[in-house]
Amino acid sequence: MSLTVNLYYTGSNGSARRFAEEMESSGIAAAIRAEEGNERYEYFFPMNDPETVLLIDRWRDQKALDAHHASPMMKQLADLREKYDLHMKVERYVLADEASGDEKFIRR
């Protein structure tokens, strides 16, 4: 059962976008994508909020997410969040499966 975590990074004067750009250009994002159990790691920019970046981060299970949280990359992430003075909001989801009954409402 995959876990999806939406992280909203908010800053000022374009700092959230610069953070995401540095995550990509520095190779940190690529290293996270290569971690065992990572299924998705993508940044998005809300059209109605230029000071926020949305990260959609999906992991195979809680064990994989826990291993990521214990990895050395978390220090690099924390340092970049501090550098860009970002604040965060986090949402966590479990992917729906056919057994949930929601499948009939989803057009594939």
Side-chain angles (χ1 to χ4, degrees):
M1 175 184 330
S2 293
L3 303 172
T4 300
V5 182
N6 288 356
L7 295 104
Y8 297 86
Y9 293 103
T10 302
S12 59
N13 300 315
S15 63
R17 185 176 284 256
R18 288 193 307 277
F19 162 79
E21 289 168 351
E22 187 166 345
M23 286 290 294
E24 292 292 343
S25 67
S26 68
I28 297 171
I32 292 169
R33 289 181 188 108
E35 284 185 89
E36 176 67 28
N38 184 267
E39 297 178 346
R40 184 177 190 186
Y41 195 88
E42 294 181 272
Y43 290 100
F44 297 89
F45 306 102
M47 293 180 66
N48 64 341
D49 184 357
E51 298 301 338
T52 296
V53 169
L54 166 62
L55 168 64
I56 300 178
D57 190 16
R58 186 168 61 223
W59 296 88
R60 178 185 58 231
D61 53 27
Q62 185 63 51
K63 183 178 176 182
L65 181 56
D66 290 345
H68 167 65
H69 286 154
S71 75
M73 280 174 279
M74 290 307 295
K75 168 89 169 88
Q76 293 174 297
L77 275 164
D79 290 346
L80 281 181
R81 283 194 304 254
E82 186 68 27
K83 174 182 176 179
Y84 291 104
D85 192 25
L86 299 179
H87 301 276
M88 298 168 57
K89 181 179 97 172
V90 179
E91 301 170 339
R92 183 180 170 119
Y93 303 95
V94 176
L95 291 182
D97 60 16
E98 292 183 27
S100 70
D102 294 330
E103 188 65 25
K104 63 186 172 191
F105 299 106
I106 300 171
R107 183 172 185 236
R108 302 245 184 232

